[in-house]
Amino acid sequence: NNLGTVHYLRESPVRAREAWERASAADPANPQPHYNLALLLERQGDLAAALERYRRHAALLAEPSTALRAKILELEDRAPDPEPPEPSR
């Protein structure tokens, strides 16, 4: 998680994303990498992916903040709906 922050501060979003994804995979119960990824993805305009990371972050918290719940609601309104699955034959 800290390595991702260093990359982010050095304006290397690709490396920051990779580091935060590794951190979240290495410690799935740690909410912080999910939050950091959500912020980055939202900034990059990937609202659907950001929403998923905000939801993961919130699910790991004992009591998500009002601001976090509001952010999730905001992105639910703004993020594109996922593509529906193709019908099976």
Side-chain angles (χ1 to χ4, degrees), residues 38-57:
L39 291 173
L40 176 64
L41 292 164
E42 183 179 8
R43 183 175 182 193
Q44 292 177 330
D46 190 348
L47 301 184
L51 176 58
E52 175 59 29
R53 289 298 179 156
Y54 279 124
R55 285 177 175 156
R56 288 185 192 180
H57 174 70

Side-chain angles (χ1 to χ4, degrees), residues 3-71:
L3 181 59
T5 303
V6 169
H7 288 306
Y8 184 79
L9 293 173
R10 290 185 177 169
E11 298 184 13
S12 181
V14 171
R15 289 178 133 178
R17 182 176 180 167
E18 291 168 352
W20 287 326
E21 286 175 345
R22 283 192 306 272
S24 67
D27 186 3
N30 182 355
Q32 196 60 48
H34 297 291
Y35 182 74
N36 291 342
L37 278 165
L39 291 173
L40 176 64
L41 292 164
E42 183 179 8
R43 183 175 182 193
Q44 292 177 330
D46 190 348
L47 301 184
L51 176 58
E52 175 59 29
R53 289 298 179 156
Y54 279 124
R55 285 177 175 156
R56 288 185 192 180
H57 174 70
L60 293 170
L61 299 175
E63 183 66 32
S65 69
T66 301
L68 178 57
R69 290 192 305 266
K71 174 56 77 175

